Amino acid sequence: MEHIRTTKVEQVKLLDRFSTSNKSLTGTLYLTATHLLFIDSHQKETWILHHHIASVEKLALTTSGCPLVIQCKNFRTVHFIVPRERDCHDIYNSLLQLSKQAKYEDLYAFSYNPKQNDSERLQGWQLIDLAEEYKRMGVPNSHWQLSDANRDYKICETYPRELYVPRIASKPIIVGSSKFRSKGRFPVLSYYHQDKEAAICRCSQPLSGFSARCLEDEHLLQAISKANPVNRYMYVMDTRPKLNAMANRAAGKGYENEDNYSNIRFQFVGIENIHVMRSSLQKLLEVNGTKGLSVNDFYSGLESSGWLRHIKAVMDAAIFLAKAITVENASVLVHCSDGWDRTSQVCSLGSLLLDSYYRTIKGFMVLIEKDWISFGHKFSERCGQLDGDPKEVSPVFTQFLECVWHLTE
Amino acid sequence: MEFAELIKTPRVDNVVLHRPFYPAVEGTLCLTGHHLILSSRQDNTEELWLLHSNIDAIDKRFVGSLGTIIIKCKDFRIIQLDIPGMEECLNIASSIEALSTLDSITLMYPFFYRPMFEVIEDGWHSFLPEQEFELFSSATSEWRLSYVNKEFAVCPSYPPIVTVPKSIDDETLRKVATFRHGGRFPILSYYHKKNGMVIMRSGQPLTGTNGRRCKEDEKLINATLRAGKRGYIIDTRSLNVAQQARAKGGGFEQEAHYPQWRRIHKSIERYHILQESLIKLVEACNDQTHNMDRWLSKLEASNWLTHIKEILTTACLAAQCIDREGASILIHGTEGTDSTLQVTSLAQIILEPRSRTIRGFEALIEREWLQAGHPFQQRCAQSAYCNTKQKWEAPVFLLFLDCVWQILRQFPCSFEFNENFLIMLFEHAYASQFGTFLGNNESERCKLKLQQKTMSLWSWVNQPSELSKFTNPLFEANNLVIWPSVAPQSLPLWEGIFLRWNRSSKYLDEAYEEMVNIIEYNKELQAKVNILRRQLAELETEDGMQESP
């Protein structure tokens, strides 16, 4: 509460874009520790969570007061007019502080208290049981087993504790492969298709540079393809543009050499990186936010943002994945650079196409819990929850949700 | 004239038909005077029953002795026929070409069609001007029906009966007709019951370079204004174009002569620009490379959605003048047969709930398009695939239907009809077994004796069994004036028409069926609840009566 200089300002106007009478609503603005609240003269409440605020801007003083424009991370834009400049300045500074948290403990989730008792709270956290999910998929079975190698997060900090690997892959193979993969994220099971006995596996890029090899990593991939009794070959999908993947080789990383890995078919499915996506969204929001656009300007703005092109790239990759499994009966290993952005998108979207369970409400929750949360998608950094590196912010999860939305249409 | 003369080969076996969403099927191809029919070899069912008049263009290709004919239809469908034998293929192709480019209207199918259903309502008499007049004449005594154009002598493209201000006599009308393009003197298009304001429409005034004026014309439109009130003239041409029209004898209403009227120019494109736009759009939709950037830039380059925005914006402006400003308006372009009608009919959709009911919409099309003299025969002679030189073709009516769909999409509960109704109207405007869209105006339709010799589309559509396909399950009647958004973000491409043959609508259709079932079931349950409530109420009063001493 120490950031808040003014807790209440009266006679504030809220400009309403959708109001048919084009009038603004006058009311009172409140600042709490967690929210901004505006109550208008009709008692209608507008709540904005401080953590949803992306930017605050003070515009030039006008005759009606001091304009304050708040852009939110959920694409909402709110335009207030505060009668006194000093009040506006105070609110502006308070919001600047309140919208950027340095510690997790300051986030709203830690102070939100819906009057649950401890056992109710615990139940909530146990609602999604990934062990049950793997069982539903049909593992462990004769080809796949649960590995305890990462039980204490010793092999890979960003992977979950429960990992499923081919039964014939011994611990030394797993450990060896993890040393050959960026951030230790070695190939593990994401989804097992019972009917086809084919698997979706995920990992990060190999630390192959130009010529390095790792026998354990090669054995692990072999084990994955052997775990598929129907098909002798498996696909390795690198979800980066070829150029980017090649550039990584100079830094000692890169992609799998088909010569070294028997029975793999290597495939680039170029999806751009988090920086491209961040600026794409920025451009899209600019186009959408511009008033009085002509149709031509709208479409050329849309095209130059590239947003839909990226959405299509993610969807195309997921379709390729689903076809590999259903039509060719082949297992697929998916990776990008670190295996927690594009990999998460493609694996989860592909699974959604393949398995109707994930299209139920509970199943969708399970899917997100598995492929996004447990496999270490950096929600905190990607969604800018804390005041961190702006270059780590990127709408990766948003894109996934948009792809799912397109499917519902 | 015998159709048989044009049919070189009436029948070929072992023809393979390729069409969207179905696997290829082999069968026997038959050519009749009006149709192309393919019966499947398997079970003799008719796989294809295509009107020659629906054919826009055909391409021929040969690989060895196997000929392929690609038929591009006016409804944007593309069909392929593989015909064994070069001679048969060439014969079929030239027969189709001859049969799909017949000159005389009386040779077209509506003159030969015998309905297979029992005709309960004669659609030719469903929407007569006198009946339409009845609907608002109780609210006002300022208007009358004029029969001055009974013989189509005063205005060849107007209907025989028109609505004009009561204070204006037929002689005045005759004089005004000489001052307006095509004799199209200003007449009533719509009367807004809420405030008595009206929409009038006409052709351009023939002021020419001399600044000619016509006192009768001024008297006529001034008669629609209340004392001391002003009106708006919406000219669907830019000021430049309107000024240039003077060199050809046309022009616009000058302020000096029409001091009570304010003129607004809202440019709407016309003729070949619209036709080119359609051609580019359909070409973009058929592009199989599936590249996102290319799709967006082709979509933009077609300008189709720009036209939609222009038309809707002008219609909103017209509606605003009537409903918000409380002022009467006069709308015209050059001839008053294209953009004028788009604006007047869309304004009524916005303003009047009746136009959003099925019968009201049919009446709207009858009044503002058919009787108003939109030259359907000319405009719909060719569609997006035509490769011959075009003269008068333009997708004006399709643009109107697209605009209606845009409003329907933004207000899904305000229309009694659904998207399929609009698609059906589009199809029948270009090729039909019914006579409704034949001819260019009422005069031609009379001369052709369409009422006696052909069946009306409305007779078929208004049968309950057919109507159920076109009824919107979400419809809730309301009295609102509905204002659509015209921002580019709000105007998506009409997939139901333009992507109909490019992607299967199977799952969307299933979802729609499911929605219809849910709504039906909900209605049944609601009815049950009402019955039970009544029973409960009755039981309670019975108990009450028993308890009282």
Side-chain angles (χ1 to χ4, degrees):
Chain A
M1 288 294 278
E2 61 273 10
H3 301 304
I4 303 175
R5 300 172 200 196
T6 311
T7 52
K8 172 175 162 175
V9 181
E10 287 170 342
Q11 295 301 312
V12 173
K13 285 204 192 76
L14 171 64
L15 296 188
D16 184 356
R17 283 180 76 166
F18 303 118
S19 151
T20 44
S21 53
N22 244 348
K23 278 203 219 99
S24 57
L25 297 156
T26 308
T28 307
L29 189 64
Y30 297 88
L31 284 186
T32 74
T34 53
H35 287 85
L36 185 148
L37 170 61
F38 178 76
I39 306 187
D40 72 19
S41 43
H42 301 297
Q43 301 309 311
K44 175 156 169 255
E45 297 175 0
T46 304
W47 289 81
I48 298 178
L49 185 61
H50 292 318
H51 303 324
H52 272 159
I53 295 177
S55 71
V56 200
E57 202 187 334
K58 258 188 347 177
L59 300 180
L61 198 54
T62 70
T63 46
S64 41
C66 193
L68 190 68
V69 179
I70 302 172
Q71 309 260 26
C72 299
K73 293 174 188 171
N74 58 4
F75 312 138
R76 181 180 198 175
T77 305
V78 194
H79 197 137
F80 289 116
I81 308 235
V82 184
R84 292 188 337 175
E85 220 254 314
R86 176 147 35 114
D87 288 332
C88 184
H89 195 73
D90 284 346
I91 298 177
Y92 171 73
N93 279 318
S94 306
L95 287 178
L96 275 184
Q97 303 281 8
L98 289 165
S99 58
K100 294 185 196 322
Q101 301 304 316
K103 296 182 293 179
Y104 279 110
E105 289 81 3
D106 291 333
L107 291 176
Y108 184 38
F110 282 86
S111 57
Y112 176 64
N113 183 8
K115 299 192 170 53
Q116 262 182 343
N117 63 40
D118 281 341
S119 72
E120 281 171 345
R121 186 174 289 210
L122 188 62
Q123 258 181 3
W125 283 101
Q126 288 169 343
L127 204 61
I128 309 286
D129 182 349
L130 287 182
E132 278 302 312
E133 170 56 15
Y134 284 107
K135 256 200 220 124
R136 184 198 71 87
M137 276 189 232
V139 292
N141 59 27
S142 52
H143 300 296
W144 294 89
Q145 70 178 4
L146 176 62
S147 163
D148 65 352
N150 202 39
R151 204 181 30 209
D152 301 316
Y153 304 109
K154 288 236 179 69
I155 305 235
C156 174
E157 274 187 344
T158 57
Y159 262 179
R161 269 200 287 249
E162 285 79 33
L163 293 171
Y164 285 80
V165 295
R167 205 168 271 280
I168 59 176
S170 63
K171 188 145 174 201
I173 288 188
I174 292 174
V175 173
S177 168
S178 77
K179 296 203 165 78
F180 190 64
R181 291 281 170 177
S182 175
K183 310 271 192 319
R185 292 170 71 87
F186 60 97
V188 295
L189 182 75
S190 162
Y191 177 71
Y192 181 69
H193 195 298
Q194 269 192 38
D195 291 340
K196 303 281 176 183
E197 295 184 276
I200 302 178
C201 293
R202 56 185 295 176
C203 62
S204 60
Q205 64 183 324
L207 303 172
S208 49
F210 285 101
S211 59
R213 289 181 69 161
C214 168
L215 281 179
E216 288 90 346
D217 192 79
E218 289 165 29
H219 284 322
L220 183 50
L221 262 64
Q222 229 181 37
I224 292 175
S225 69
K226 285 210 177 115
N228 180 339
V230 177
N231 202 319
R232 271 188 298 124
Y233 63 85
M234 65 181 263
Y235 280 100
V236 175
M237 278 174 75
D238 188 331
T239 59
R240 301 168 292 179
K242 184 164 181 184
L243 217 57
N244 298 33
M246 285 171 64
N248 265 289
R249 286 197 296 185
K253 303 176 199 170
Y255 54 94
E256 293 80 352
N257 186 339
E258 259 176 353
D259 293 335
N260 300 338
Y261 293 84
S262 58
N263 293 341
I264 71 161
R265 288 195 192 171
F266 188 81
Q267 185 83 21
F268 279 113
V269 281
I271 302 173
E272 299 288 348
N273 65 31
I274 57 168
H275 309 294
V276 173
M277 299 311 190
R278 186 177 54 250
S279 91
S280 176
L281 179 62
Q282 188 63 35
K283 288 206 199 99
L284 177 68
L285 293 176
E286 273 165 32
V287 171
N288 260 340
T290 314
K291 287 193 195 166
L293 271 185
S294 74
V295 173
N296 289 65
D297 286 341
F298 173 68
Y299 278 97
S300 50
L302 187 61
E303 188 191 332
S304 70
S305 78
W307 180 259
L308 289 176
R309 181 165 30 95
H310 301 313
I311 296 287
K312 180 172 157 56
V314 176
M315 295 202 68
D316 281 341
I319 291 172
F320 179 90
L321 173 56
K323 275 202 178 134
I325 301 241
T326 52
V327 174
E328 294 180 67
N329 240 102
S331 290
V332 186
L333 175 65
V334 185
H335 74 76
C336 43
S337 293
D338 293 324
W340 49 41
D341 292 310
R342 291 164 278 195
T343 303
S344 296
Q345 288 174 328
V346 176
C347 289
S348 54
L349 197 60
S351 305
L352 191 78
L353 294 176
L354 290 169
D355 193 332
S356 59
Y357 173 66
Y358 296 129
R359 293 173 233 140
T360 63
I361 295 182
K362 174 89 185 279
F364 194 61
M365 290 191 237
V366 168
L367 184 68
I368 293 175
E369 191 66 53
K370 174 167 70 76
D371 274 303
W372 290 86
I373 297 175
S374 84
F375 273 104
H377 174 72
K378 301 197 289 179
F379 275 102
S380 199
E381 292 183 28
R382 293 287 176 264
C383 302
Q385 291 166 2
L386 298 181
D387 189 18
D389 183 359
K391 288 215 167 52
E392 287 292 309
V393 175
S394 188
V396 179
F397 188 60
T398 307
Q399 277 183 335
F400 163 70
L401 294 176
E402 177 166 338
C403 288
V404 178
W405 175 76
H406 282 293
L407 292 176
T408 67
E409 293 277 299
Chain B
M1 97 115 1
E2 281 295 327
F3 287 110
E5 292 167 14
L6 297 173
I7 304 173
K8 296 211 179 109
T9 303
R11 193 194 145 106
V12 181
D13 290 317
N14 303 324
V15 172
V16 179
L17 165 69
H18 303 270
R19 67 213 148 131
F21 313 135
Y22 292 92
V25 64
E26 193 180 317
T28 303
L29 179 70
C30 293
L31 285 186
T32 70
H34 298 107
H35 290 94
L36 200 98
I37 305 167
L38 189 111
S39 328
S40 143
R41 188 159 57 129
Q42 244 91 337
D43 42 17
N44 233 13
T45 52
E46 271 118 25
E47 303 289 345
L48 179 71
W49 188 278
L50 184 71
L51 269 173
H52 295 312
S53 55
N54 194 1
I55 297 177
D56 223 4
I58 61 175
D59 286 335
K60 299 185 287 284
R61 264 188 268 150
F62 293 98
V63 178
S65 70
L66 185 68
T68 297
I69 298 182
I70 308 222
I71 301 176
K72 297 183 181 171
C73 302
K74 292 179 184 167
D75 61 7
F76 310 145
R77 192 175 11 167
I78 300 184
I79 292 170
Q80 184 177 313
L81 295 169
D82 297 331
I83 301 178
M86 194 181 285
E87 197 189 326
E88 283 87 347
C89 184
L90 285 170
N91 285 343
I92 296 280
S94 62
S95 307
I96 295 177
E97 265 165 29
L99 290 165
S100 60
T101 51
L102 295 170
D103 275 333
S104 165
I105 300 187
T106 50
L107 290 175
M108 304 192 78
Y109 188 46
F111 287 92
F112 298 83
Y113 171 71
R114 295 283 164 265
M116 306 286 257
F117 57 91
E118 192 197 328
V119 181
I120 307 173
E121 177 196 339
D122 181 6
W124 290 115
H125 299 116
S126 297
F127 306 105
L128 299 171
E130 288 100 335
Q131 294 164 350
E132 296 294 302
F133 184 69
E134 290 282 309
L135 291 173
F136 71 91
S137 56
S138 51
T140 170
S141 56
E142 291 163 11
W143 298 86
R144 71 176 185 93
L145 287 173
S146 167
Y147 296 80
V148 71
N149 199 39
K150 211 168 38 187
E151 312 289 326
F152 306 104
V154 176
C155 174
S157 61
Y158 267 176
I161 309 171
V162 292
T163 310
V164 294
K166 198 169 237 167
S167 56
I168 307 290
D169 61 23
D170 283 359
E171 249 331 285
T172 312
L173 294 177
R174 272 187 244 273
K175 295 218 179 77
V176 179
T178 61
F179 184 64
R180 290 279 174 177
H181 191 125
R184 291 173 74 87
F185 54 91
I187 57 175
L188 180 76
S189 165
Y190 169 68
Y191 177 86
H192 194 48
K193 288 207 185 96
K194 209 162 89 176
N195 57 14
M197 295 299 116
V198 296
I199 301 180
M200 305 260 289
R201 53 174 162 81
S202 69
Q204 67 174 329
L206 302 173
T207 52
T209 43
N210 290 336
R212 183 179 153 213
R213 71 188 286 192
C214 172
K215 295 256 174 66
E216 288 82 4
D217 186 88
E218 294 156 37
K219 183 172 171 216
L220 169 53
I221 68 171
N222 287 337
T224 69
L225 294 176
R226 300 269 166 80
K229 297 213 74 175
R230 307 184 60 178
Y232 289 93
I233 297 178
I234 300 180
D235 190 328
T236 61
R237 304 166 294 180
S238 66
L239 179 57
N240 248 348
V241 172
Q243 283 167 336
Q244 284 164 9
R246 287 183 295 198
K248 296 192 208 128
F252 52 91
E253 295 82 353
Q254 282 164 303
E255 292 83 350
H257 303 151
Y258 298 84
Q260 289 166 280
W261 294 83
R262 286 213 350 240
R263 216 176 58 244
I264 306 176
H265 288 271
K266 291 293 270 185
S267 169
I268 295 179
E269 288 294 354
R270 52 202 71 221
Y271 313 137
H272 67 95
I273 293 190
L274 299 180
Q275 186 70 357
E276 270 157 28
S277 181
L278 178 65
I279 292 173
K280 282 199 190 124
L281 175 61
V282 172
E283 204 262 316
C285 295
N286 286 335
D287 184 334
Q288 301 283 356
T289 59
H290 294 170
N291 175 299
M292 181 61 78
D293 286 348
R294 187 184 264 160
W295 162 247
L296 288 174
S297 72
K298 273 185 164 183
L299 181 62
E300 184 210 324
S302 77
N303 275 329
W304 183 262
L305 294 171
T306 302
H307 302 316
I308 296 285
K309 185 180 182 348
E310 268 171 7
I311 298 166
L312 271 175
T313 306
T314 311
C316 284
L317 173 69
Q320 270 172 344
C321 290
I322 297 274
D323 191 69
R324 292 281 170 81
E325 297 271 325
S328 289
I329 60 178
L330 168 67
I331 305 180
H332 71 76
T334 305
E335 292 145 340
T337 53
D338 294 278
S339 53
T340 303
L341 304 178
Q342 289 172 327
V343 177
T344 59
S345 46
L346 280 169
Q348 290 177 55
I349 300 268
I350 292 172
L351 292 167
E352 199 199 29
R354 183 189 171 232
S355 301
R356 297 175 228 138
T357 63
I358 292 184
R359 285 200 84 85
F361 190 68
E362 291 173 358
L364 180 75
I365 295 186
E366 270 289 328
R367 273 192 334 266
E368 299 298 318
W369 288 87
L370 292 163
Q371 290 163 15
H374 175 71
F376 276 100
Q377 196 71 38
Q378 287 179 346
R379 297 284 177 269
C380 300
Q382 293 186 69
S383 182
Y385 293 124
C386 56
N387 44 23
T388 57
K389 188 153 165 39
Q390 295 135 67
K391 289 180 299 179
W392 306 116
E393 295 83 355
V396 179
F397 188 57
L398 175 58
L399 276 163
F400 160 70
L401 294 175
D402 195 330
C403 289
V404 177
W405 177 77
Q406 298 288 347
I407 306 179
L408 168 57
R409 203 190 65 91
Q410 291 187 23
F411 296 91
C413 301
S414 294
F415 288 78
E416 194 186 14
F417 51 86
N418 61 19
E419 178 183 32
N420 293 330
F421 191 65
L422 298 172
I423 297 178
M424 180 270 303
L425 288 170
F426 158 67
E427 290 175 329
H428 283 272
Y430 279 89
S432 178
Q433 64 268 47
F434 303 106
T436 301
F437 288 101
L438 288 182
N440 290 307
N441 48 56
E442 291 299 288
S443 172
E444 286 183 21
R445 291 184 192 114
C446 268
K447 287 203 191 87
L448 291 166
K449 293 203 177 52
L450 289 186
Q451 278 192 27
Q452 292 79 9
K453 296 188 176 170
T454 71
M455 180 115 285
S456 161
L457 174 67
W458 311 130
S459 309
W460 169 72
V461 167
N462 289 336
Q463 295 175 90
S465 52
E466 294 303 324
L467 269 186
S468 57
K469 289 186 239 162
F470 301 125
T471 311
N472 176 11
L474 296 174
F475 177 56
E476 282 167 24
N478 62 53
N479 276 334
L480 301 172
V481 173
I482 55 180
W483 300 101
S485 161
V486 294
Q489 295 90 323
S490 306
L491 304 175
L493 181 68
W494 188 6
E495 286 191 27
I497 281 256
F498 292 109
L499 297 179
R500 186 156 61 137
W501 311 111
N502 306 83
R503 69 173 185 23
S504 171
S505 61
K506 179 170 153 223
Y507 299 109
L508 293 175
D509 292 342
E510 282 170 14
Y512 183 81
E513 277 308 310
E514 189 60 36
M515 178 177 76
V516 171
N517 291 338
I518 291 175
I519 293 175
E520 274 309 307
Y521 185 50
N522 192 36
K523 283 202 185 111
E524 281 171 37
L525 290 178
Q526 190 64 48
K528 266 201 196 133
V529 164
N530 291 342
I531 292 175
L532 288 173
R533 279 215 179 106
R534 269 202 298 275
Q535 286 179 355
L536 183 63
E538 278 167 27
L539 287 173
E540 276 173 349
T541 51
E542 275 175 28
D543 279 347
M545 279 166 30
Q546 279 174 4
E547 275 173 18
S548 54

